[in-house]
Amino acid sequence: MRKYDFYLAGAMCIIALVLYLIINFSCEKGQLLVVYKDNEVIGKYSLNDEGYHTIEYDDMTLMTFEIKNGKADVLSACCHDKLCVHQKPINSSGEVICCLPGKILLKVYGPQNESTNEDYDAVAR
């Protein structure tokens, strides 16, 4: 390898580190976890209140999640592939965990977007 190849590799590592730091530290921490089932709000939970929560529908347990250390994590779900269980815990505003077979969405809201009705700016006719 030439001398300039090391300079190029070093510059790429520095750029990657800067981008990583910008992405991780510019995220707004969430305060509210909203649970949707079939596009309807079925629960709101503060990320400051720790505990286990169960989502039940038609006498069947669809999902169990835990709020711990300001993060929400899915522990179990009724779906076959368990992709929602294997996702990382969420805590930043705008992050979601989605269970497509169960039609469940967990979304974190921050202090600036606490209105969970997703108001539109304008209506098109």
Side-chain angles (χ1 to χ4, degrees), residues 2-122:
R2 295 183 193 169
K3 179 169 104 173
Y4 294 108
D5 290 340
F6 288 113
Y7 290 146
L8 180 62
M12 290 175 65
C13 289
I14 290 172
I15 290 171
L17 178 66
V18 168
L19 289 175
Y20 173 77
L21 293 175
I22 288 172
I23 290 171
N24 281 338
F25 293 111
S26 67
C27 295
E28 181 180 17
K29 296 298 176 196
Q31 295 179 346
L32 182 69
L33 177 73
V34 180
V35 180
Y36 297 91
K37 167 76 173 134
D38 290 328
N39 220 12
E40 294 181 17
V41 176
I42 60 168
K44 295 180 182 180
Y45 305 93
S46 171
L47 289 177
N48 297 323
D49 299 333
E50 297 187 357
Y52 295 94
H53 304 281
T54 302
I55 300 170
E56 296 179 351
Y57 188 75
D58 288 339
D59 297 329
M60 186 172 82
T61 300
L62 297 179
M63 180 183 285
T64 303
F65 65 93
E66 176 186 24
I67 298 176
K68 184 176 178 183
N69 298 328
K71 297 180 180 184
D73 189 21
V74 176
L75 301 176
S76 67
C78 67
C79 55
H80 299 291
D81 54 9
K82 307 278 191 237
L83 290 177
C84 53
V85 176
H86 299 298
Q87 291 184 22
K88 70 177 184 73
I90 57 175
N91 68 338
S92 297
S93 179
E95 287 186 321
V96 296
I97 293 179
C98 180
C99 179
L100 290 178
K103 298 179 183 176
I104 299 173
L105 180 76
L106 282 71
K107 185 171 183 181
V108 176
Y109 287 92
Q112 292 185 2
N113 57 356
E114 282 191 29
S115 104
T116 59
N117 57 0
E118 304 277 336
D119 292 332
Y120 293 103
D121 292 336

